Amino acid sequence: QVQLVESGGGLVQAGGSLRLSCAASGGAFTTYNIAWFHQAPGKEREFVAATSRSGSYTYYADSVKARFTISRDNAKNTVYLQMNSLKPEDTAVYYCAAARGGWAVLKFRDRAEYDYWGQGTQVTVSS
């Protein structure tokens, strides 16, 4: 079992940047693939980005591929989401999630693959 806590959200103008953090505790962090999802008001929770256990592999939703970067620092038990060139459409609650297993067989876009979730951090992008 692992606990996840997101931080770093806030209010930013369009074109600005934020870095979100997902801090893990209570489990073996390096055994988990970590993903970011977001959920806008009135919409379903959607996949944003994922990284493998070692950080060697990453995958992004098309909508953020050129603007966001996911990374992890296993020594700090933390995963980051660097968000640049933010758009109002990025406004949402951002959640991190953890999934066990190998990257090659992980359906990383699927919410059902993730066993543990944080409580979320709000990102608001104004025009």
Side-chain angles (χ1 to χ4, degrees), residues 53-119:
R53 291 171 292 183
S54 68
S56 296
Y57 299 97
T58 59
Y59 193 85
Y60 300 91
D62 288 343
S63 62
V64 307
K65 188 175 296 182
R67 301 182 294 121
F68 292 8
T69 302
I70 188 170
S71 62
R72 66 192 296 162
D73 185 342
N74 286 342
K76 296 181 178 180
N77 287 355
T78 302
V79 169
Y80 303 98
L81 185 68
Q82 178 67 47
M83 305 187 296
N84 298 325
S85 301
L86 283 161
K87 304 175 181 179
E89 305 94 272
D90 297 317
T91 295
V93 177
Y94 283 73
Y95 301 88
C96 63
R100 298 169 63 186
W103 177 259
V105 297
L106 177 67
K107 299 177 176 64
F108 42 76
R109 293 179 177 270
D110 189 349
R111 291 170 293 179
E113 291 280 86
Y114 296 89
D115 300 306
Y116 305 102
W117 294 82
Q119 295 300 304

Side-chain angles (χ1 to χ4, degrees), residues 8 12 17 30-31 46-47 55 72 82-83 85 88 92 106 108 127:
V12 65
S17 298
T30 56
T31 67
E46 296 180 333
F47 173 80
R72 66 192 296 162
Q82 178 67 47
M83 305 187 296
S85 301
L106 177 67
F108 42 76
S127 60

Side-chain angles (χ1 to χ4, degrees), residues 30-52:
T30 56
T31 67
Y32 295 98
N33 307 279
I34 303 294
W36 288 94
F37 288 74
H38 68 193
Q39 187 167 19
K43 299 183 68 177
E44 294 184 345
R45 194 168 299 187
E46 296 180 333
F47 173 80
V48 175
T51 186
S52 62

